[in-house]
Amino acid sequence: MAPRPLRRWIFTALLTCTPPAFSADAYVAPLRPGPFTSETASFKQYQVPEWFRDAKFGIWSHWGPQAVPRAGDWYARNMYIEGHPQYQHHLQHYGHPSQTGYKDIIPLWHAERFDPDALMALYAKAGAKYFVSMAVHHDNFDLWNSRYHSWNAVNMGPHRDIVGVWQQAARKRGLAFGVSEHLGASYGWLATSHGQDKSGPLAGVPYDGANPAYQELYHPAHDEGLHDNLDNWYATSPAWHEEWFKRISDLLDSYQPDLLYTDGGLPFGAVGRTLIANYYNGNLAAHNGRLNAVYTHKSQGSGDFSDAGVLDVERGVLSGIHPQPWQTDTSIGDWFYSDGYKYKSTAEVIYMLADIVSKNGNLLLNVVQYADGSLPPESRKFLDEMAVWIGVNGEAIYGTRPWKVYGEGPTQHAGGAMNENGAYTAQDIRFTAKGNAVYAITLGQPSAEVVIQSLGKKARYAGAPIQSVRLLGHKAALTWTQRDDALVVKLPQPLPATQAAAFKIELSPPVRAANP
């Protein structure tokens, strides 16, 4: 994940990028038999599996050695940029990066309080239907027992197969299991480790990334890289494409995840398409010809992979109902633990979830962890509060599909990545549909009554008469009136859940959902 000032630039670039041209000596990845190939056209047959469409809410562990300094996201890169706040933090706490570098942070990650089973119990209770383990960040450190990379969590740091124990915990709880890979950009992202101060007493002294003894972690010296700007995201080196392919293939073969997330567009053209073809073909073989695999990526509009897999929007939403299932990924705090970072409230997460689901999307939420594996108080508070709300209102979320319109209300919120802060009110309402019911979720806590204009007798989206109206979590009958201009529902006190109310509105004949 990118630091805040750079993120919008990255995603503008990712959404409009053109896959690089490949030379005759480009790496040719081996293809496994099956209906999917490295040809873009073969992915036209892909259909998002129903488990993902029904799940709606997943929790992500975006966690690793970069949590150790307690200084936030992109630490392994920014600690090598002279003058950057994370560079200053590193100087103060660990020393100069020419001597004490990121390689010296990794052994400090012990994960001594990490209890995946206890955490997964909390995540399931809070409503997660799938769980995603980060497998490798841009820092080039694998969190599994990697066959092709010795810098991994089994060999050093916690000396545990982090991905493996997360997988076991998720399976025990009946959650679908996913992995996220951020490796494709690492080759350029870590190029800052090969730099040097431009001023001061150590000007000109190379950082530790320039030491050939550590090139497996920091990559060999090369001319491609982000350095102090964002001039490219994916390197063109065929050797790097081969390494990426082998390591991510090893990850997929070892853990057979239900979902794979890439932090960016599909990497490396035909090499990336071959990896996803192998993933899909292998999943088909393992499930007797039924494809259960989901690939999420940020390739919207690139022309290379936009009709396959699931579009992912980082820290943002879409402006309307999307014809295909999609996903928002975000975090309740910084991506890696950061002292003093402002966390989202439970209400903010609930409003995001309702808005996203109403538009045919899923929410994947990172729940921040300390380096030792335990939860900060903000994370635990969220999980406890979310468990209460979803326990009452989950019926309006899980297994639903978009209705004729995603919602109504006074608040206008533009879609797009890095744009997630909607100042919603109780008059903002989001709709979902299931069976013969429309669900109306308020993006705020209403007081005396709720007025739903889209369900008036003469409203544009009306058509079927209302048979009943029920407030989820409330057993007694409600007083309601369907006027020409709106459905008006009188509220009982107290409400069964704080933050937001959800109504089940049964129609006859059965409600007609939107095309998605």
Side-chain angles (χ1 to χ4, degrees):
M1 299 303 156
R4 186 177 301 274
L6 302 177
R7 290 173 183 168
R8 188 174 300 277
W9 190 99
I10 291 175
F11 281 89
T12 299
L14 289 176
L15 297 182
T16 59
C17 65
T18 300
F22 294 96
S23 63
D25 61 349
Y27 173 63
V28 179
L31 178 69
R32 295 174 181 172
F36 293 94
T37 72
S38 63
E39 298 299 320
T40 303
S42 79
F43 292 96
K44 300 281 187 183
Q45 64 190 297
Y46 178 78
Q47 293 184 341
V48 179
E50 291 299 297
W51 77 258
F52 182 80
R53 302 194 69 192
D54 291 342
K56 305 302 183 187
F57 180 48
I59 283 180
W60 188 9
S61 175
H62 189 287
W63 179 57
Q66 290 177 93
V68 170
R70 303 168 66 100
D73 193 27
W74 276 35
Y75 188 89
R77 173 182 182 269
N78 294 337
M79 60 163 283
Y80 293 105
I81 299 177
E82 184 181 8
H84 193 282
Q86 287 166 312
Y87 169 93
Q88 299 296 342
H89 180 94
H90 196 81
L91 280 181
Q92 181 179 354
H93 291 87
Y94 304 105
H96 193 268
S98 62
Q99 294 298 320
T100 305
Y102 186 60
K103 71 182 186 305
D104 303 293
I105 296 294
I106 291 171
L108 303 179
W109 184 43
H110 304 302
E112 65 273 18
R113 297 179 63 194
F114 175 45
D115 185 342
D117 288 319
L119 291 171
M120 201 64 64
L122 292 173
Y123 299 160
K125 188 176 181 181
K129 298 300 183 184
Y130 60 108
F131 174 83
V132 176
S133 166
M134 189 174 73
V136 53
H137 197 249
H138 310 313
D139 66 348
N140 200 31
F141 185 76
D142 292 348
L143 303 189
W144 76 97
N145 193 15
S146 180
R147 292 175 57 200
Y148 297 101
H149 195 58
S150 66
W151 287 84
N152 67 67
V154 175
N155 290 342
M156 56 192 73
H159 295 281
R160 294 182 72 178
D161 181 348
I162 300 299
V163 175
V165 296
W166 273 132
Q167 181 205 46
Q168 293 168 13
R171 299 293 192 217
K172 286 179 188 176
R173 290 281 167 181
L175 274 64
F177 177 71
V179 292
S180 69
E181 70 87 11
H182 312 241
L183 183 63
S186 176
Y187 195 77
W189 190 88
L190 266 179
T192 54
S193 67
H194 290 255
Q196 56 195 347
D197 285 358
K198 298 175 183 176
S199 61
L202 293 176
V205 178
Y207 299 146
D208 69 330
N211 187 335
Y214 304 114
Q215 74 170 25
E216 186 185 1
L217 174 65
Y218 296 119
H219 307 295
H222 58 79
D223 294 331
E224 299 186 78
L226 302 177
H227 297 287
D228 292 339
N229 54 49
L230 293 168
D231 50 7
N232 74 54
W233 189 246
Y234 291 139
T236 60
S237 164
W240 175 241
H241 298 174
E242 180 177 2
E243 181 175 346
W244 174 86
F245 181 89
K246 288 180 176 179
R247 283 165 63 183
I248 304 306
S249 295
D250 175 46
L251 171 70
L252 297 175
D253 292 344
S254 298
Y255 303 98
Q256 300 293 313
D258 303 297
L259 180 148
L260 171 65
Y261 164 106
T262 286
D263 188 10
L266 176 71
F268 313 138
V271 175
R273 293 194 299 272
T274 301
L275 182 130
I276 302 306
N278 290 345
Y279 175 44
Y280 288 168
N281 290 337
N283 188 271
L284 280 166
H287 294 91
N288 298 314
R290 182 177 180 179
L291 184 58
N292 288 330
V294 173
Y295 176 58
T296 73
H297 58 89
K298 301 184 174 87
S299 291
Q300 184 183 29
S302 71
D304 187 47
F305 206 70
S306 51
D307 0 355
V310 170
L311 171 66
D312 183 273
V313 181
E314 183 180 339
R315 288 198 185 271
V317 299
L318 298 182
S319 57
I321 297 174
H322 197 267
Q324 295 297 324
W326 58 283
Q327 177 179 268
T328 285
D329 75 273
T330 191
S331 178
I332 64 169
D334 204 346
W335 288 108
F336 292 103
Y337 179 78
S338 181
D339 285 325
Y341 200 92
K342 185 181 182 297
Y343 286 71
K344 290 181 175 66
S345 68
T346 305
E348 288 176 294
V349 175
I350 291 169
Y351 305 155
M352 281 195 73
L353 177 64
D355 181 61
I356 289 163
V357 171
S358 75
K359 298 171 180 175
N360 206 28
N362 285 22
L363 173 61
L364 178 62
L365 181 73
N366 175 48
V367 174
V368 179
Q369 291 169 257
Y370 287 132
D372 66 11
S374 63
L375 297 175
E378 296 90 345
S379 293
R380 181 56 192 263
K381 181 175 185 287
F382 160 74
L383 291 169
D384 291 342
E385 292 177 348
M386 189 67 182
V388 173
W389 190 87
I390 206 73
V392 173
N393 300 292
E395 180 184 341
I397 299 295
Y398 304 121
T400 62
R401 297 294 182 266
W403 190 47
K404 301 174 184 179
V405 62
Y406 71 85
E408 65 180 50
T411 305
Q412 300 298 314
H413 181 54
M418 308 306 162
N419 187 19
E420 61 182 351
N421 298 318
Y424 296 113
T425 71
Q427 288 72 49
D428 292 297
I429 296 171
R430 295 295 180 264
F431 301 112
T432 62
K434 181 167 51 180
N436 69 329
V438 174
Y439 296 90
I441 307 169
T442 64
L443 305 189
Q445 188 171 14
S447 52
E449 65 180 21
V450 171
V451 178
I452 307 174
Q453 297 174 350
S454 299
L455 286 167
K457 289 180 181 179
K458 295 185 177 180
R460 175 183 176 188
Y461 301 105
I466 295 174
Q467 299 299 307
S468 65
V469 179
R470 182 167 69 87
L471 175 62
L472 297 187
H474 181 72
K475 294 182 179 179
L478 298 176
T479 299
W480 57 274
T481 303
Q482 188 182 26
R483 305 185 316 218
D484 285 348
D485 65 329
L487 169 65
V488 180
V489 184
K490 301 294 184 183
L491 296 177
Q493 296 298 329
L495 293 174
T498 57
Q499 294 103 11
F503 299 89
K504 182 177 183 179
I505 302 153
E506 293 186 291
L507 307 179
S508 180
V511 60
R512 182 166 55 86
N515 289 333

